Each structure stands twice: as structure tokens, then as C-alpha cells.
Amino acid sequence: KAGVTQTPRYLIKTRGQQVTLSCSPISGHRSVSWYQQTPGQGLQFLFEYFSETQRNKGNFPGRFSGRQFSNSRSEMNVSTLELGDSALYLCASTPGWDLNEKLFFGSGTQLSVL
Amino acid sequence: AQTVTQSQPEMSVQEAETVTLSCTYDTSESNYYLFWYKQPPSRQMILVIRQEAYKQQNATENRFSVNFQKAAKSFSLKISDSQLGDTAMYFCAFNFGAGGTSYGKLTFGQGTILTVHP
């Protein structure tokens, strides 16, 4: 089975712009979660989608949004970028039925905001 | 609030030796799920081992084992026979349950950078 695929790997944007990141889960997985990783704040949960519905949301401002398509692929969008949004963004997929499920992570998108 | 603390920012070990990484947490939940993930330089997080809080027996996965002390809220990872490929950042992580609102939601510690020396 192919793993979790995130595109692009690297992205450079300027303040005020918006960005869209993509995540393709493992085939058959219906849950996709997104995380932000920074040296200062560590790994923080953004949101989780299951069958096109957001089930769970972390404590991020409304500039961070996401969606999931019928094929379980997910996108996250950050509008009006700030310097502090520079981070590694990781997505993870699971079947989505059990809290004990192993999360399968992608290699992340490294976003730099200048 | 639920918190996770890894008090060792960096550790090193010689190849073939044993090392223990520490993790403490705080929660008022009675059932929850505990994980250790590693993140090598490739950046891809990989599950090392997992434990359910209601299970008394400590989990073991080949060279990796945990020491789960529920009353003390401690969840340490022991790596035996360390190998060069174990060099990575290690995170303890928790799904603190809370019914149907916690799918995919892990709370991570700050991580411990482990270096295995030849």
C-alpha cells in the first residue's frame, strides 16, 4: 500500500498570502488529521476529518481551515499568512473508528513565510 | 488541562546499550491511550509502541518496551540493544479520550533527541 502523501514538500510564501496544502491518505483510511510542528510550540493538533466532516478541532484561529473530499483526500488552507505560521505541517491518516489507532504520518510540508 | 512533559531534551547512548526515555503527564480522564512515536531526519513520524491505560501489562515490541505507572502518571520508553537506526527524536503522545471528540487528536510531549553512537 502507498503511504500518506503530502504535497508540496516545501513552500515559500509572503505575509498576507494564502496557502493550500494537500494530503492523500492511505487507501481505505477515512480519517485525516493535521498537525503543526514548530521548534517553539512542538506538535499541535489542528483538526481531523472523517467522511468529509470535521469531527475534531484544535485551538487555532479561523485563518486555518480544512476540508475533505469524497475520496478521503484532504486539504488545509491558511489565509492571511503570518510569520508565525512558518512550520512543518504534518497530516496523518487512520481508518477512523478507534481512538487507539496507529496514526500513519506523511513526510510533511515545510512552509516558510517571509 | 491535559499536559505531557518530556524532561530530557537530549540523550545519547552507545550502540548495543540500553536507554530509557521519560515522559510524565496529567489528566483527569480514567481511560486514555498512550503512544511513543519517533521522528527520524526524514521527518516522517513512525509509531514505536502503544499502550492502553486500562491494561495492567506493559507493552513490548521487539527491542522496545514501556514502563507505565498509572498512579504516578508516568510512561517511559526503554530501548534495548540500541542501534544506529534508532537515532531520532522521540515523542510520547496521548489520546485522552473524551468520548467521540478525540479521533486523531494526540497531545504530544516536546520530544527527546536520541543519538546512538557507534
Side-chain angles (χ1 to χ4, degrees):
Chain A
K1 267 187 181 179
V4 178
T5 303
Q6 289 188 249
T7 56
R9 287 293 304 269
Y10 301 93
L11 207 48
I12 300 174
K13 292 286 187 179
T14 56
R15 277 183 299 174
Q17 287 186 311
Q18 76 164 16
V19 66
T20 299
L21 312 181
S22 179
C23 175
S24 293
I26 288 173
S27 177
H29 286 187
R30 294 169 66 179
S31 169
V32 174
S33 304
W34 288 89
Y35 288 82
Q36 182 195 65
Q37 185 176 19
T38 61
Q41 298 297 316
L43 278 147
Q44 293 186 287
F45 172 79
L46 281 154
F47 29 66
E48 184 259 359
Y49 287 86
F50 179 84
S51 291
E52 303 179 67
T53 299
Q54 186 182 87
R55 284 195 299 192
N56 216 342
K57 188 176 185 307
N59 296 322
F60 278 81
R63 299 185 298 105
F64 292 82
S65 63
R67 60 178 175 168
Q68 187 180 34
F69 303 95
S70 58
N71 62 357
S72 294
R73 190 178 71 86
S74 178
E75 289 181 347
M76 69 162 280
N77 184 276
V78 188
S79 63
T80 319
L81 283 166
E82 301 177 0
L83 295 179
D85 297 334
S86 293
L88 178 66
Y89 290 88
L90 294 166
C91 79
S93 77
T94 71
W97 301 107
D98 190 338
L99 299 182
N100 193 35
E101 288 171 350
K102 168 183 174 181
L103 267 64
F104 292 83
F105 283 86
S107 295
T109 294
Q110 183 69 54
L111 172 64
S112 298
V113 182
L114 305 178
Chain B
Q2 292 138 340
T3 59
V4 180
T5 303
Q6 292 180 251
S7 58
Q8 306 152 314
E10 293 188 47
M11 292 193 72
S12 64
V13 65
Q14 293 296 125
E15 201 174 5
E17 294 190 342
T18 295
V19 63
T20 298
L21 309 183
S22 301
C23 175
T24 58
Y25 61 94
D26 190 26
T27 182
S28 57
E29 300 288 340
S30 57
N31 193 29
Y32 42 89
Y33 306 91
L34 309 92
F35 307 83
W36 278 95
Y37 280 87
K38 65 182 271 190
Q39 187 177 39
S42 66
R43 311 185 314 191
Q44 188 170 28
M45 300 278 282
I46 302 165
L47 178 69
V48 174
I49 196 167
R50 55 184 158 178
Q51 171 89 33
E52 295 186 43
Y54 68 88
K55 289 188 176 177
Q56 304 260 350
Q57 189 170 2
N58 288 323
T60 299
E61 195 77 40
N62 300 316
R63 299 182 294 107
F64 300 89
S65 62
V66 298
N67 183 4
F68 174 45
Q69 302 289 327
K70 191 171 184 179
K73 293 181 179 171
S74 169
F75 182 56
S76 61
L77 173 70
K78 185 171 85 170
I79 306 173
S80 304
D81 186 26
S82 297
Q83 299 176 0
L84 297 178
D86 295 333
T87 292
M89 180 169 277
Y90 287 79
F91 295 92
C92 59
F94 295 77
N95 187 316
F96 285 114
T101 64
S102 292
Y103 291 99
K105 181 179 181 180
L106 296 183
T107 302
F108 285 86
Q110 288 295 100
T112 296
I113 299 171
L114 175 68
T115 304
V116 181
H117 297 285

